Amino acid sequence: MALHIDGKKMAAEVVAKVKAATADLEARTGVTPGIAVVIVGEDPASQVYVRSKGRMAEECGFKSLTHRLAQETSEEKLLSLLARLNADDTIHGILVQLPLPKHIDEGKIIQTIAPHKDVDGFHYINVGKLGTGEIASAFVPCTPAGSMLLIEKALGKRDLSGLNAVVVGRSNIVGKPMANLLLLANATVTIAHSRTKDLPSLARTADILVAAVGRPQMIKGDWVKPGACVIDVGINRIADGERTRLVGDADFASCEAVAGFITPVPGGVGPMTIATLMSNTLKGACIAAGVEPPTY
């Protein structure tokens, strides 16, 4: 049976380091990390995520602002708010909760956020820095960054030379940045997707298998190489009798029987995403203050 990679425990370790580094930054420079979260509309899942991020930011000792805008808010008004946040020296991280209402151009909004405050890591400049290996000054998207910490925790090393990695999913938010991070760690990386031929056979070549396709329980146990490290990024709600429950993109029971390491859902990658958002915000504050950011 696979060893479970405890995302809650790892996230708590990251947050503890962020708290300590925040206190040290304030003592040395007088700078308090600041994060502003913007949400447009009343999407229930987004509201939950925003509340969680706000609570965690306060726990870390950050200045935390939440801007809640009505569903009918114009694109112009949202852009005006972002301009003010970009100019606010007390804010080191800006996050616009997705999805946005259909009348607002998400791409335009993301590219309006100042790159040095883009703690989601979606701005073209941060994407380009990650793609070219210039990550010291870049913000790496939170879910892939957190997933890499879990991989390192499981395998006990940052250098993945000689290991094959297969990332199932090619999104800009997870799949592509995940592949870039694995490449930087010297893994041999394949990105698979819905049009990949004989996906199960390809998945079985992976020493590290990342499931980020957004399909509940798609990855089966017979897709997994014995002893592989399975990182399940998926968070899907499915019916379970009269109730619902959360499952990942991997069929946990069958994959657990074959893998060497596996992240559960919930309690795996999810907690790491918010923890890494906190570390990105602290990094932005450290860079603004001319202080070396901590490593994790």
Side-chain angles (χ1 to χ4, degrees):
M1 299 291 285
L3 294 175
H4 294 188
I5 308 172
D6 191 339
K8 289 183 179 179
K9 181 179 179 182
M10 184 70 185
E13 293 174 4
V14 171
V15 168
K17 290 182 179 179
V18 169
K19 287 181 183 178
T22 296
D24 180 66
L25 180 67
E26 288 180 326
R28 291 168 61 189
T29 69
V31 173
T32 300
I35 183 170
V37 179
V38 180
I39 181 169
V40 184
E42 301 295 332
D43 179 76
S46 293
Q47 294 288 344
V48 171
Y49 293 147
V50 166
R51 284 194 295 270
S52 297
K53 291 166 184 173
R55 285 194 300 267
M56 185 62 72
E58 291 175 1
E59 182 180 338
C60 289
F62 294 177
K63 172 185 176 180
S64 177
L65 302 178
T66 300
H67 294 269
R68 301 180 185 276
L69 305 180
Q71 178 78 17
E72 62 272 15
T73 297
S74 68
E75 182 176 280
E76 182 181 7
K77 183 175 180 179
L78 178 53
L79 290 170
S80 177
L81 171 60
L82 293 178
R84 294 197 301 274
L85 294 173
N86 282 339
D88 186 342
D89 291 339
T90 68
I91 296 298
H92 306 98
I94 301 171
L95 183 150
V96 177
Q97 184 66 40
L98 303 179
L100 290 170
K102 292 183 178 180
H103 67 276
I104 296 177
D105 184 340
E106 286 189 359
K108 184 176 182 180
I109 296 303
I110 289 169
Q111 300 311 314
T112 297
I113 298 171
H116 65 283
K117 297 188 179 188
D118 168 41
V119 286
D120 261 337
F122 297 160
H123 193 284
Y124 294 146
I125 288 179
N126 286 312
V127 172
K129 285 183 175 182
L130 173 58
T132 54
E134 297 293 330
I135 62 173
S137 62
F139 289 117
V140 176
C142 300
T143 298
S147 296
M148 279 301 298
L149 291 176
L150 294 176
I151 291 169
E152 292 165 3
K153 185 75 170 180
L155 301 183
K157 55 185 177 181
R158 292 177 179 265
D159 188 339
L160 304 177
S161 297
L163 298 182
N164 291 327
V166 174
V167 179
V168 185
R170 54 178 170 177
S171 72
N172 293 330
I173 294 174
V174 179
K176 291 175 184 176
M178 188 79 239
N180 276 321
L181 287 172
L182 288 163
L183 282 171
L184 288 172
N186 297 320
T188 300
V189 183
T190 303
I191 300 180
H193 47 80
S194 60
R195 298 190 181 185
T196 298
K197 183 179 180 181
D198 196 2
L199 182 54
S201 293
L202 177 61
R204 280 192 291 271
T205 69
D207 301 296
I208 301 168
L209 180 60
V210 180
V213 71
R215 296 184 184 180
Q217 301 175 316
M218 174 180 167
I219 309 295
K220 307 300 182 184
D222 60 2
W223 294 30
V224 178
K225 180 180 180 178
C229 178
V230 177
I231 303 296
D232 191 350
V233 177
I235 301 178
N236 310 284
R237 189 169 292 279
I238 63 170
D240 185 13
E242 295 182 356
R243 299 185 176 184
T244 62
R245 62 187 176 97
L246 292 178
V247 299
D249 289 351
D251 179 45
F252 187 81
S254 63
C255 291
E256 180 190 32
V258 182
F261 303 91
I262 191 169
T263 57
V265 177
V269 174
M272 290 299 295
T273 298
I274 294 181
T276 308
L277 174 65
M278 299 301 111
S279 68
N280 274 355
T281 303
L282 172 62
K283 179 177 180 176
C286 287
I287 292 173
V291 174
E292 187 72 20
T295 56
Y296 300 91

